[in-house]
Amino acid sequence: MNIKDMHEGMKLDLELINSSGEKIGQTFISQVEEIVDDNSIIVAAPIHESRLMLIPSGTRVRIVFYHRKYGLIGVTGVIKLREKRENIVVLHVALNNDFDKIQRRQYFRLSCNLDSKYYLFKSEEIEKESAQKSEKDMKKSITRNISGSGACVLVEESIPKDSVIEVVLWLTRESTVKVVGKVIRSTLLEDPKGKRYELGLHFTKISHKDQEVLVKYIFEQQRLLLKNNLADKV
């Protein structure tokens, strides 16, 4: 992975970081305005709460973007110059060329309310994490939040901790992903419609294709939330 995986117009998240690489403050939305050379790019200065963020030269940053083949990619750099071009302010960023695929534990956890269905593995099926089942064996559920490594799912039956379930999740009407997860938490919720249980899942199996679809969905929804939050404050 390198700068050739980026292109003009690419949407990205811009994070300010300290000398230890730790994030400081908000995540900003920006985009690539120009690829200068193999080590530097120009990005649009972000706007936050209706204010143009005039990030000073010398500021360390992390840039995060989605790549169709590799998923979420992060790279660090330093702001070298800020200038005005026509109607926008841009930032010249010198990249460190430490492009790296972001690990699951770093994924944003997305609050949601998505239709899903699940299958509870029998004890003899757990080791294989697969089972001979039909559509009628699947039960309805609602997914409340999701990340690249886990999810929170609402079901209508008590499922003990350490159980293993398969979940099919509708991201959109046309797009689904299938995961296998271990129940790490099971909580009874009192509801006017009856008892429901909130399951905390840690994914133990997901195909590469579904992983990429899920990561892209979470990343795009995160950016949409940030954009809408900004628009509400303008």
Side-chain angles (χ1 to χ4, degrees):
M1 294 173 285
N2 53 48
I3 200 168
K4 294 180 181 179
D5 293 311
M6 307 181 79
H7 59 80
E8 292 182 9
M10 172 178 277
K11 306 300 181 184
L12 51 84
D13 286 353
L14 185 68
E15 302 173 352
L16 309 187
I17 59 175
N18 60 23
S19 58
S20 300
E22 298 171 332
K23 179 183 173 183
I24 304 171
Q26 298 284 335
T27 296
F28 303 111
I29 296 173
S30 183
Q31 73 174 29
V32 177
E33 295 293 330
E34 182 182 340
I35 306 294
V36 179
D37 54 38
D38 289 344
N39 300 296
S40 57
I41 61 174
I42 296 175
V43 303
I47 296 175
H48 180 63
E49 295 183 349
S50 74
R51 294 174 54 198
L52 182 66
M53 303 305 296
L54 300 178
I55 303 173
S57 299
T59 301
R60 293 181 174 89
V61 296
R62 178 183 295 109
I63 290 172
V64 179
F65 61 94
Y66 178 79
H67 189 279
R68 181 172 297 180
K69 180 178 179 181
Y70 301 116
L72 278 184
I73 304 298
V75 60
T76 61
V78 178
I79 305 297
K80 290 297 185 181
L81 175 69
R82 184 180 71 227
E83 68 170 339
K84 187 172 183 179
R85 286 188 173 184
E86 298 180 354
N87 296 324
I88 66 170
V89 175
V90 297
L91 306 172
H92 293 245
V93 185
L95 300 178
N96 293 324
N97 282 323
D98 53 353
F99 288 82
D100 190 28
K101 186 170 182 177
I102 295 178
Q103 300 301 311
R104 289 185 181 184
R105 64 180 179 274
Q106 297 172 282
Y107 290 161
F108 175 79
R109 181 168 289 275
L110 176 71
S111 295
C112 58
N113 189 37
L114 300 173
D115 290 334
S116 53
K117 59 183 179 180
Y118 72 96
Y119 172 79
L120 175 61
F121 283 106
K122 301 179 178 65
S123 57
E124 63 271 18
E125 298 169 335
I126 290 178
E127 185 174 348
K128 295 181 179 180
E129 292 187 335
S130 63
Q132 295 293 327
K133 58 185 180 300
S134 63
E135 183 65 26
K136 66 180 181 180
D137 295 319
M138 305 290 288
K139 298 181 179 180
K140 291 183 179 180
S141 58
I142 298 293
T143 298
R144 296 283 296 274
N145 66 55
I146 194 166
S147 73
S149 60
C152 175
V153 179
L154 290 183
V155 300
E156 295 182 351
E157 64 175 322
S158 176
I159 297 180
K161 182 181 176 182
D162 295 327
S163 298
V164 176
I165 66 174
E166 177 183 284
V167 180
V168 177
L169 172 66
W170 276 265
L171 302 179
T172 67
R173 289 183 178 180
E174 297 80 23
S175 177
T176 63
V177 294
K178 181 171 69 175
V179 302
V180 175
K182 183 177 182 179
V183 178
I184 58 175
R185 173 176 52 82
S186 181
T187 305
L188 171 63
L189 301 178
E190 293 296 340
D191 189 286
K193 298 180 181 180
K195 291 183 178 180
R196 293 198 295 176
Y197 297 83
E198 184 179 82
L199 306 181
L201 298 182
H202 173 71
F203 298 156
T204 58
K205 183 178 180 181
I206 181 172
S207 71
H208 177 73
K209 178 181 177 181
D210 281 353
Q211 177 79 70
E212 297 305 316
V213 170
L214 179 58
V215 171
K216 181 179 180 181
Y217 174 80
I218 292 171
F219 183 65
E220 290 179 344
Q221 291 299 309
Q222 179 188 14
R223 293 194 69 260
L224 183 61
L225 287 170
L226 289 169
K227 182 177 180 180
N228 288 343
N229 184 57
L230 174 61
D232 289 342
K233 296 178 180 179
V234 173

